[in-house]
Amino acid sequence: MVELNNENDATQLDIADVVQLLTEAEGQAQSEVFDEILEGAESGTVALLLESLPLDERYDRWQQVDDNERVTVLSLMRAEPRLGILEQMSLEESDLLFAQLSPEDLIDWSDHLPDSLTERALAKMGLRQRKHFELYDQYSDNEIGRYADHQMLVLDLKSSIGQAQNFFRRINLDCNDKIFLVDENDKYQGDVRRFDIFKHDPSEPLASLLSEDNRALAADTSLLEAAESMEHSREVEMPIVDDEGVLIGRVTLRTATILVREHYEAQLMATAGMDESDDLFAPIVKGAQRRAIWLGINLLTAFLASATIGLFEDVLTQVVALAILMPIVASMGGIAGSQSLTLMIRGMAMGQVSPGNRFSLLKNELGIGSVNGILWAGIIGAVAAWWFGDNTIGMVMACAILVNMLVAAIAGVLVPIILQKCNQDAALSGSVILTTVTDVVGFFTFLGMASILYL
């Protein structure tokens, strides 16, 4: 049993150990354990622990979270468990919570909040905060403008270095290394670094220190492009401007890192037809409905593969060995195709795939597929011939493996490109289509050749 004490708090323990400690306790004992965890745990740990509890226990423990920490904890939770807690709160409790929300918090929450709760939260904000929310809300959830941070250091071109020095002394912001300068129309003019500000005379004009590099991110830049720009610039913060050049906020290295992590986590979940925001303890009926759609799609593709097999019932009844070897054909094609597909999806996500290099990628994958196809076709064909004492079945097996691995390479490259052109998520549906293609082609080639040679 893991124990918590002053020297060994929740921040020092492996999260799995803390979850075990919490879930093994019940009732009042669990409440006491959670109180002890709250004394030393960071907000992110508390969020993870709450998500790790069944729904009935989760809200009881939520009641123990300090009012001043609640917004931070909820912001670090996934959308679905966050909404579950909000829906259980009384109107008085939710109003108290909404009064602490920043426009950035509400933007992040609103993607998965009912309109009624979003409107209630907006009603608790001041006029300036509501304007910030409306400004960010005009951008889609894949544009960096939606996640702009309006808390930044901004001065006009007429300001002095002394004013900038006072700003840095009085205001402490996360990932803050610059002051952004704007003109009388709030259009971004450039930035000045903290280091330069504190080594010059306070009476000098701040504009004299303007950096020659005044790059800014357009508000409609995609999240991944913005994160790449941050990475290549080696900056801890970058300004965000609208289509007229007006400074609307900034993006920090911390925010960019979080957005990229969430993007790839969402891609991973999408491969199973699920959403990154899904709750670990989602209600059974709701979870079943969500997954049923994906299972239904897979069932349709399975019927298509089965129908292909059914076309060759005669040869299967005469040569039983074919039924034994069929899974090998499908498996080899599926694995080869998924390797190409994964490579393509990663390249597309990183912006490395363009119309100019698609043909080269296809040739490269076909080359790899040919080498591996010839190698494994020879090995598997020889094993099949030895296993069943039949050279014909070995030849059929080798040809089917080679053809299927070549088709898998082609499909692995073309399927995500076609899906992208159709505005579909390749990570979500690419694997289903690819598996269908390799199964159908593999079975048709294998059983078709067998029918020609055996019947």
Side-chain angles (χ1 to χ4, degrees):
M1 171 67 70
V2 179
E3 294 184 357
L4 292 174
N5 53 54
N6 293 333
E7 289 75 33
N8 188 25
D9 61 26
T11 61
Q12 296 171 297
L13 289 173
D14 184 275
I15 189 67
D17 293 331
V18 183
V19 170
Q20 180 182 352
L21 179 64
L22 189 61
T23 53
E24 284 181 350
E26 296 180 359
Q28 184 59 32
Q30 188 183 79
S31 175
E32 292 172 1
V33 169
F34 196 63
D35 271 334
E36 193 172 349
I37 291 171
L38 289 174
E39 291 178 10
E42 296 179 349
S43 299
T45 302
V46 175
L48 279 173
L49 290 175
L50 287 171
E51 290 182 2
S52 303
L53 293 172
L55 301 180
D56 53 342
E57 295 176 12
R58 180 184 298 164
Y59 190 71
D60 289 339
R61 300 293 72 80
W62 163 253
Q63 299 282 31
Q64 296 175 243
V65 178
D66 186 85
D67 288 344
N68 295 325
E69 294 293 322
R70 288 189 166 191
V71 168
T72 305
V73 171
L74 282 179
S75 294
L76 292 169
M77 293 179 71
R78 300 180 191 278
E80 197 168 282
R82 178 198 304 140
L83 178 59
I85 288 176
L86 288 173
E87 289 178 336
Q88 285 186 270
M89 294 173 68
S90 66
L91 291 179
E92 292 76 12
E93 285 180 308
S94 59
D95 284 346
L96 180 63
L97 183 79
F98 290 151
Q100 303 175 51
L101 274 183
S102 68
E104 290 87 355
D105 290 326
L106 185 55
I107 279 290
D108 186 35
W109 294 17
S110 65
D111 292 335
H112 298 88
L113 277 186
D115 290 341
S116 58
L117 285 180
T118 301
E119 291 299 324
R120 194 170 187 87
L122 280 172
K124 296 299 174 183
M125 289 184 173
L127 178 60
R128 188 175 179 182
Q129 286 184 308
R130 287 199 295 273
K131 285 184 176 179
H132 279 303
F133 176 86
E134 291 167 2
L135 173 65
Y136 304 146
D137 196 41
Q138 66 181 300
Y139 300 103
S140 75
D141 59 6
N142 189 44
E143 295 175 334
I144 195 62
R146 186 172 184 84
Y147 305 100
D149 180 1
H150 76 275
Q151 296 186 28
M152 54 187 172
L153 300 187
V154 183
L155 286 172
D156 61 44
L157 291 171
K158 299 177 182 178
S159 303
S160 68
I161 291 176
Q163 288 175 291
Q165 291 175 349
N166 288 334
F167 253 33
F168 276 119
R169 290 190 184 104
R170 290 188 291 107
I171 303 173
N172 183 29
L173 297 177
D174 180 47
C175 297
N176 183 210
D177 185 50
K178 300 176 180 179
I179 283 183
F180 302 120
L181 270 64
V182 297
D183 63 15
E184 64 275 8
N185 297 315
D186 291 330
K187 292 188 176 181
Y188 176 67
Q189 301 299 307
D191 58 64
V192 183
R193 296 182 181 278
R194 180 199 297 256
F195 176 77
D196 294 327
I197 287 172
F198 279 99
K199 70 175 186 177
H200 284 81
D201 189 331
S203 63
E204 294 180 20
L206 186 60
S208 66
L209 302 180
L210 266 178
S211 170
E212 293 182 3
D213 182 7
N214 62 347
R215 284 178 298 172
L217 292 170
D220 59 359
T221 303
S222 74
L223 300 184
L224 285 178
E225 287 179 25
E228 267 192 9
S229 297
M230 287 287 298
E231 180 186 2
H232 295 177
S233 71
R234 299 183 180 179
E235 303 287 358
V236 297
E237 60 179 335
M238 287 186 73
I240 300 174
V241 298
D242 65 13
D243 54 5
E244 295 180 355
V246 174
L247 181 66
I248 66 169
R250 64 170 184 153
V251 59
T252 66
L253 184 59
R254 186 190 302 276
T255 300
T257 302
I258 292 171
L259 291 173
V260 170
R261 185 198 69 209
E262 290 178 347
H263 170 80
Y264 285 111
E265 190 173 338
Q267 292 277 59
L268 177 64
M269 294 290 284
T271 60
M274 300 182 71
D275 194 292
E276 180 271 336
S277 64
D278 287 354
D279 191 349
L280 186 65
F281 286 98
I284 292 173
V285 174
K286 185 176 182 180
Q289 288 175 337
R290 183 185 295 134
R291 299 186 196 188
I293 297 172
W294 188 250
L295 291 171
I297 294 172
N298 277 276
L299 179 62
L300 291 176
T301 62
F303 274 131
L304 181 58
S306 296
T308 303
I309 296 170
L311 296 174
F312 304 97
E313 184 178 351
D314 292 342
V315 72
L316 280 170
T317 56
Q318 292 190 34
V319 187
V320 179
L322 297 175
I324 298 172
L325 294 171
M326 276 198 315
I328 299 175
V329 177
S331 176
M332 292 298 289
I335 292 171
S338 67
Q339 290 171 339
S340 298
L341 181 72
T342 302
L343 193 69
M344 281 295 295
I345 291 174
R346 186 191 68 179
M348 291 165 68
M350 298 296 291
Q352 296 174 307
V353 178
S354 69
N357 65 4
R358 288 172 184 168
F359 185 66
S360 297
L361 277 169
L362 181 59
K363 286 197 301 181
N364 194 65
E365 286 301 306
L366 266 175
I368 294 171
S370 298
V371 172
N372 274 327
I374 292 170
L375 172 65
W376 290 106
I379 294 172
I380 296 171
V383 170
W386 169 79
W387 187 2
F388 294 99
D390 185 347
N391 290 333
T392 301
I393 205 168
M395 182 181 67
V396 170
M397 190 71 178
C399 290
I401 290 291
L402 177 58
V403 170
N404 207 21
M405 291 188 73
L406 290 175
V407 170
I410 296 171
V413 174
L414 295 183
V415 165
I417 292 174
I418 294 170
L419 288 171
Q420 186 182 54
K421 285 185 174 293
C422 297
N423 295 318
Q424 298 297 314
D425 190 345
L428 176 61
S429 51
S431 59
V432 177
I433 296 174
L434 177 73
T435 302
T436 304
V437 170
T438 55
D439 282 357
V440 170
V441 170
F443 292 150
F444 189 85
T445 304
F446 182 54
L447 298 176
M449 287 188 64
S451 296
I452 294 171
L453 295 174
Y454 282 105
L455 296 182

